[in-house]
Amino acid sequence: MKESIGSYPRVRVEGGGRGVVSQAGGVLLVETVRKTGLDGAISAALAPWRRPRAVHDPGKILLDMALAVALGGDCLADVGMLRSEPAVFGPVASDPTVSRLIDTLAAAGPKTLTAIRAARAEVREHVWKLAGKAAPDAAGQVIVDLDGVLVLAHSDKQDAAATWKKTYGHHPLMGFVDHGRSGTGEPVAALLRPGNAGSNTAADHITATQLALAQLPKRYRRGRSTLIRTDSGGGTHEFVAWLAKRGRWLSYSVGMTITEAIHQAVLKVPASAWTPAVEPGGEIREGAWTAELDGDVLKGWPRGMRLIVRKERPHPGAQLRFTDADGLRLTCFATNTTDAPIAVLELRHRQRARAEDRIRNARATGLRNLPLHDAAQNRIWLEIVQLALDLLAWLPMLALTGQPRLWEPRRLRLRLFSAAAQLVTTARRRHLRFARHWPWTDVITSAIQRLEALPNPG
C-alpha cells in the first residue's frame, strides 16, 4: 500500500486473484432455497418445459434469475453475476439460454403461470410451518393487502399506456401478506394490467384476491380468519359483495370514497359519539377521532357491513378537500368485523400503509421497470420478481432475529449479500470464510447456522 495522499489511501489494483468470492453473502439465499425445498418444487413444476438432453434445468434457470433479482439485478443479463461464482451458485445458463426459456414459458401462457404459482403455494405452506411463532399466521389470522403500483415504461412495450398520473407504463395490482410490526411481508398476487387500468376496477380486485387466496394454505382460503385490506380502490359494491358472499365469508377492511351522503352523515354525528383514535401501543392518537355511521349510508351494501369514519387534523402543509369538514381531514372505511371497538378497527385499517413499504421493496427488487417487450414475457418477469421477494421475506423469517429481521432488501444487500469471503477447500469440503472486520459477519454466520439447523425438505 502506498502512502496516503488526500482523504483515502492509494492501493494497487491488479487482476488474477484467486480464492475470493464476491457476493458471498448470497449463500444465505441459496441455503434458504435449499431448506425450503423451493428448488425441487420449481424444478418439478417446470419439468414439462425441459427439452430432451437439455443441460440446464428450467427450474434452476428461473431460480437463478430470482436470485439475481434478489441480489439487485433488474434485467435478464444480470444473471451473469451468479455465473461468475459457480462455487456458490453452481452452473448457470448462458444469456441466450435464459432468454429462450423466458420465450418458451411465455408462449405456454397460463399453464406456466399456474405451475409456478402452485409450486410457490406448496413451499409457502411448508415455510410457515418451519417459521412457527414467526409465521404470519401465528396469531390465527392472515392479512392480505391489495394495492396498485405504477411501473414506468421508457419504450413502446405491449400494454403500456398513459396512466392516471400522466406518466406512461403499466399498472399492476399487487397483493402482500402482512407480517406485522415484527416482520416484513411476502407477495401473493401480481396482476399485470395496462397503464390505463382503473384503480377501482372490481373485476381486477376479485382476480387479484383469487390469486392471493390460492397462495395461502387451504384453511385460509375462506372464512373470517383471512382479512382482505384495500384502499378506496376496493370500496366498490361488486368487490365487497364478492368478499362477503355466503360460503366465502372473508373478513374485509376496505377504504371508501367520501361521497356527499357520507359527508352529510358525518356532519350529523354528535360530539359525544366520536372516540379518540389510538396508536399501536394503546396510547391516544392526538388530534384524531373515529365514529361509526349507520342509517341510509348503508343501504345497498352487504348485511353486516360497518362504516367507520375518522377525522384528523391535517399535517402541516397538507391541502384539505371539499369533503373535509371543520378543518379536519376525513377518511372512511368499511369492515364486517363485529367483535372489536371501532378505534381498534381504525388502527388495523391504518396499518394497511405497510403495503406502501412492500411496494417500495418491490420497486427495488425488479419492479422498477418491466424489462421485456411482450406482456406474456413480463408476466413471467413478475413471477420472477415474486420469487425474489419470497426469498427476501423467508430468509428473515427463518434465520434473522432482532433488528436485522426488519431490514429491507437494499439494506440486506448492502450489509449481508455484498460481503466477500475467502473460498477454502479442506478435506474435500469447501468453506466460505468471511472477514472478521466486517461488522455484520456475525449476523451472516448466525443466520447460516439457523438455516442449517432446519430439517431438510421431504
Side-chain angles (χ1 to χ4, degrees):
M1 180 182 295
K2 289 189 175 182
E3 185 178 352
S4 174
I5 300 177
S7 301
Y8 298 96
R10 292 185 62 187
V11 296
R12 291 186 180 275
V13 179
E14 300 175 350
R18 295 182 178 180
V20 178
V21 178
S22 61
Q23 297 288 336
V27 70
L28 290 168
L29 295 173
V30 173
E31 193 65 19
T32 301
V33 169
R34 182 180 295 112
K35 286 297 184 175
T36 59
L38 185 61
D39 50 351
I42 294 294
S43 294
L46 297 186
W49 288 275
R50 181 166 188 170
R51 295 180 178 179
R53 293 182 292 180
V55 175
H56 295 282
D57 177 14
K60 172 68 163 57
I61 297 175
L62 200 74
L63 278 179
D64 285 341
M65 275 305 311
L67 287 171
V69 171
L71 292 172
D74 61 1
C75 66
L76 298 182
D78 285 336
V79 76
M81 63 180 173
L82 273 64
R83 192 182 303 117
S84 64
E85 301 293 354
V88 175
F89 303 104
V92 176
S94 65
D95 289 349
T97 301
V98 172
S99 182
R100 285 194 298 269
L101 176 65
I102 297 299
D103 291 339
T104 300
L105 298 180
K111 291 183 179 179
T112 306
L113 300 177
T114 300
I116 297 173
R117 291 164 181 169
R120 288 177 55 221
E122 175 187 346
V123 175
R124 191 180 317 281
E125 184 171 6
H126 176 61
V127 170
W128 288 10
K129 290 179 180 178
L130 290 177
K133 294 181 179 179
D137 65 337
Q141 185 181 52
V142 175
I143 300 178
V144 177
D145 292 316
L146 300 182
D147 207 348
V149 53
L150 294 180
V151 180
L152 301 185
H154 301 286
S155 60
D156 191 16
K157 299 175 182 178
Q158 187 177 9
D159 285 348
T163 71
W164 60 276
K165 279 195 172 182
K166 299 183 180 180
T167 56
Y168 184 79
H170 298 82
H171 189 190
L173 187 60
M174 305 288 293
F176 300 91
V177 169
D178 184 24
H179 287 189
R181 298 178 65 188
S182 59
T184 55
E186 54 192 287
V188 287
L191 181 63
L192 183 61
R193 304 188 300 167
N196 56 3
S199 298
N200 59 348
T201 305
D204 290 344
H205 279 79
I206 292 173
T207 301
T209 304
Q210 290 172 329
L211 292 176
L213 294 175
Q215 284 295 306
L216 305 181
K218 289 184 179 180
R219 62 185 179 277
Y220 294 117
R221 295 178 185 177
R222 64 180 65 223
R224 297 295 193 206
S225 57
T226 301
L227 173 71
I228 306 296
R229 286 192 307 206
T230 73
D231 57 9
S232 59
T236 61
H237 286 79
E238 296 84 356
F239 183 54
V240 174
W242 185 88
L243 292 172
K245 185 177 180 180
R246 184 170 184 175
R248 193 171 289 119
W249 303 119
L250 295 169
S251 297
Y252 60 83
S253 183
V254 299
M256 302 289 286
T257 302
I258 302 291
T259 62
E260 179 61 25
I262 293 177
H263 185 238
Q264 293 301 321
V266 170
L267 297 178
K268 297 177 182 178
V269 176
S272 59
W274 290 97
T275 301
V278 297
E279 296 287 6
E283 60 272 15
I284 299 297
R285 183 178 177 88
E286 185 177 356
W289 301 267
T290 62
E292 184 169 0
L293 304 180
D294 53 16
D296 294 340
V297 291
L298 295 177
K299 287 184 177 179
W301 293 94
R303 182 180 300 177
M305 189 184 90
R306 304 174 68 182
L307 196 60
I308 299 173
V309 65
R310 180 184 65 158
K311 63 179 182 180
E312 185 174 20
R313 296 192 188 100
H315 300 293
Q319 295 182 348
L320 294 175
R321 295 163 292 191
F322 289 110
T323 53
D324 296 328
D326 299 328
L328 301 175
R329 169 156 292 177
L330 298 179
T331 56
C332 187
F333 71 96
T335 182
N336 59 350
T337 303
T338 59
D339 58 351
I342 60 174
V344 174
L345 297 177
E346 189 276 331
L347 172 62
R348 184 185 69 177
H349 185 77
R350 196 183 339 133
Q351 289 172 338
R352 195 204 67 83
R354 285 197 283 256
E356 301 296 334
D357 299 332
R358 308 290 85 79
I359 288 177
R360 182 178 65 251
N361 294 339
R363 289 183 185 277
T365 311
L367 202 60
R368 183 180 62 84
N369 71 312
L370 298 176
L372 306 171
H373 177 271
D374 295 347
Q377 295 173 323
N378 283 323
R379 289 189 182 94
I380 301 298
W381 179 259
L382 278 182
E383 295 303 315
I384 293 173
V385 169
Q386 290 181 88
L387 280 168
L389 290 171
D390 279 336
L391 291 174
L392 292 172
W394 294 343
L395 167 62
M397 188 164 59
L398 295 175
L400 299 181
T401 60
Q403 194 62 30
R405 194 190 167 195
L406 300 176
W407 287 353
E408 294 188 351
R410 287 177 177 172
R411 183 161 293 181
L412 289 172
R413 293 173 192 135
L414 182 65
R415 297 185 175 183
L416 303 187
F417 303 155
S418 64
Q422 181 184 17
L423 182 64
V424 179
T425 301
T426 59
R428 299 182 181 179
R429 306 183 88 179
R430 288 176 294 184
H431 303 264
L432 283 176
R433 291 179 179 173
F434 290 87
R436 291 182 180 178
H437 64 270
W438 188 250
W440 301 282
T441 292
D442 289 344
V443 177
I444 297 172
T445 55
S446 298
I448 286 292
Q449 291 172 1
R450 293 189 188 95
L451 288 172
E452 290 177 345
L454 295 174
N456 292 321

